[in-house]
Amino acid sequence: MDLKLSTLLCLTLLFSTILSPALSELCNPKDKKVLLQIKKAFNDPYALSSWNPKTDCCDWYSVTCDSTTNRVNSLTLFSGGLSGQIPPQVGDLPYLELLQFHKQPNLTGPIQPSIAKLKSLKELRLSWTNISGSVPDFLSQLKNLTFLELSFNNLSGSIPSSLSQLPNLDALHLDRNKLTGHIPKSFGEFHGSVPELYLSHNQLSGNIPTSLAKLDFNRIDFSRNKLEGDASMIFGLNKTAQIVDLSRNLLEFNLSKVEFSKSLTSLDLNHNKITGSIPVGLTQLDLQFLNVSYNRLCGQIPVGGKLQSFDSSAYIHNRCLCGAPLPSCT
């Protein structure tokens, strides 16, 4: 009897040793196969050395899995080490909610079309890389996107108007690329939430669409482009904009006639062709930052609020602006 029991215990221990790795691995085998294909496509880089086929992919560097389904839901590859194009296999992770390639200077080529298959994707961050080509129209198919960041790349061409069809978008970063053309009129017709808009450091031209007057943007950065004409539709007493940067463009409008919401904390209009005077309404705001330098403003800087807390660099190089912190009006 003792011999039988001893044999049974030995067999149990043997089988448990053989089976335990398989039982303990949570990673879905389909997801694991795709990740290993991605690693191979990048020529087995050192940055992905933890992607060992003998270990659980849910424990791999840059990979996270859903705690309930154990499907891969996040892939965040940043800080160098990868070269070449984004592999098409990234589109074969159907439960992916976050995809990020950040600070990968050797990442090249276009934005991978297979990304359009990632219908569960909530955040797409492709930033500080050397990817090129256009901002693809297919991104508008990713209806669950809440955050789209394509900044600090070499993207060119125009901005697709279809991006306004993303119903859940909270932030759109297209800044620091080589984008040309106009800001789409459709950006005044976002379906659902109104995203923060970051379009700075491009080569965008033409007028800011008047359709933007219909929406209430919390943050707008259109700085360092070639935008012309009126930008007053962005502002308004009933809006809740906090940060607006329109600096270093070719904008021309009368600042005297603009009404600002009390929510505004940062306003940068420097290096434009803006005329008129500084409205008294700005004294009622809790401004943390203001710069209206290098324009065509005239008249006395209103006294009150935060306007005298900024040094002269916020006001210099205007046509005939005067009063503290500039020299007094004569």
Side-chain angles (χ1 to χ4, degrees):
M1 188 67 180
D2 289 342
L3 182 59
K4 287 182 179 180
L5 182 60
S6 177
T7 304
L8 183 61
L9 287 171
C10 288
L11 289 172
T12 302
L13 182 62
L14 177 64
F15 280 114
S16 65
T17 304
I18 295 171
L19 294 175
S20 59
L23 291 172
S24 64
E25 182 161 344
L26 299 175
C27 180
N28 182 277
K30 292 181 181 178
D31 292 348
K32 186 173 188 177
K33 180 181 178 181
V34 170
L35 290 172
L36 290 172
Q37 288 173 343
I38 292 172
K39 180 183 179 182
K40 184 178 180 181
F42 279 128
N43 294 314
D44 296 324
Y46 177 76
L48 303 182
S49 58
S50 71
W51 291 20
N52 187 332
K54 296 181 180 179
T55 60
D56 189 342
C57 81
C58 293
D59 296 329
W60 291 354
Y61 174 74
S62 300
V63 176
T64 60
C65 298
D66 182 87
S67 57
T68 304
T69 64
N70 297 318
R71 298 302 297 259
V72 171
N73 63 0
S74 172
L75 182 59
T76 57
L77 298 164
F78 56 91
S79 296
L82 304 180
S83 60
Q85 300 190 22
I86 298 173
Q89 289 87 350
V90 296
D92 297 328
L93 295 169
Y95 292 86
L96 211 59
E97 295 181 8
L98 167 61
L99 176 61
Q100 175 172 284
F101 289 89
H102 178 64
K103 289 192 175 180
Q104 299 284 358
N106 295 318
L107 198 65
T108 57
I111 296 175
Q112 177 54 240
S114 67
I115 289 174
K117 296 191 293 182
L118 301 174
K119 302 303 182 184
S120 298
L121 205 62
K122 294 179 180 178
E123 296 185 35
L124 176 61
R125 299 170 181 246
L126 309 176
S127 55
W128 295 80
T129 77
N130 270 305
I131 59 174
S132 56
S134 62
V135 176
D137 189 66
F138 64 70
L139 294 176
S140 63
Q141 300 172 30
L142 303 174
K143 301 300 184 184
N144 287 310
L145 273 187
T146 60
F147 194 99
L148 176 57
E149 180 178 9
L150 304 176
S151 54
F152 288 88
N153 293 304
N154 281 316
L155 298 171
S156 58
S158 59
I159 300 172
S161 60
S162 59
L163 293 182
S164 65
Q165 298 171 15
L166 293 169
N168 299 300
L169 201 60
D170 294 325
L172 175 60
H173 292 254
L174 301 178
D175 48 302
R176 295 181 185 266
N177 281 287
K178 298 175 181 177
L179 300 175
T180 55
H182 295 187
I183 297 172
K185 292 180 181 178
S186 65
F187 276 22
E189 301 168 355
F190 274 93
H191 306 296
S193 58
V194 180
E196 298 178 354
L197 275 182
Y198 298 86
L199 307 179
S200 72
H201 294 77
N202 280 291
Q203 298 167 27
L204 301 173
S205 58
N207 292 338
I208 296 173
T210 56
S211 59
L212 267 62
K214 295 184 287 184
L215 296 186
D216 187 6
F217 293 91
N218 184 263
R219 298 187 180 200
I220 280 185
D221 187 354
F222 292 169
S223 64
R224 294 179 183 265
N225 280 288
K226 300 175 182 178
L227 300 171
E228 303 170 5
D230 192 1
S232 60
M233 81 291 292
I234 290 171
F235 306 101
L237 286 175
N238 297 322
K239 297 200 174 184
T240 59
Q242 291 184 310
I243 298 174
V244 177
D245 189 347
L246 305 175
S247 63
R248 295 182 181 271
N249 279 288
L250 304 168
L251 298 169
E252 292 184 65
F253 59 96
N254 189 335
L255 190 63
S256 316
K257 298 180 179 180
V258 178
E259 294 182 313
F260 296 95
S261 63
K262 291 189 176 180
S263 59
L264 194 66
T265 60
S266 177
L267 177 64
D268 196 346
L269 301 174
N270 81 80
H271 285 83
N272 279 289
K273 301 177 181 180
I274 300 168
T275 59
S277 59
I278 296 176
V280 176
L282 285 180
T283 63
Q284 301 171 13
L285 308 185
D286 185 21
L287 288 172
Q288 306 301 310
F289 181 85
L290 175 69
N291 193 339
V292 294
S293 65
Y294 291 88
N295 278 290
R296 299 174 181 178
L297 299 172
C298 273
Q300 182 167 352
I301 298 170
V303 177
K306 296 289 187 70
L307 296 189
Q308 277 66 48
S309 68
F310 305 109
D311 62 34
S312 60
S313 65
Y315 302 102
I316 58 172
H317 290 280
N318 274 285
R319 181 170 288 163
C320 45
L321 206 57
C322 58
L326 294 178
S328 62
C329 302
T330 55

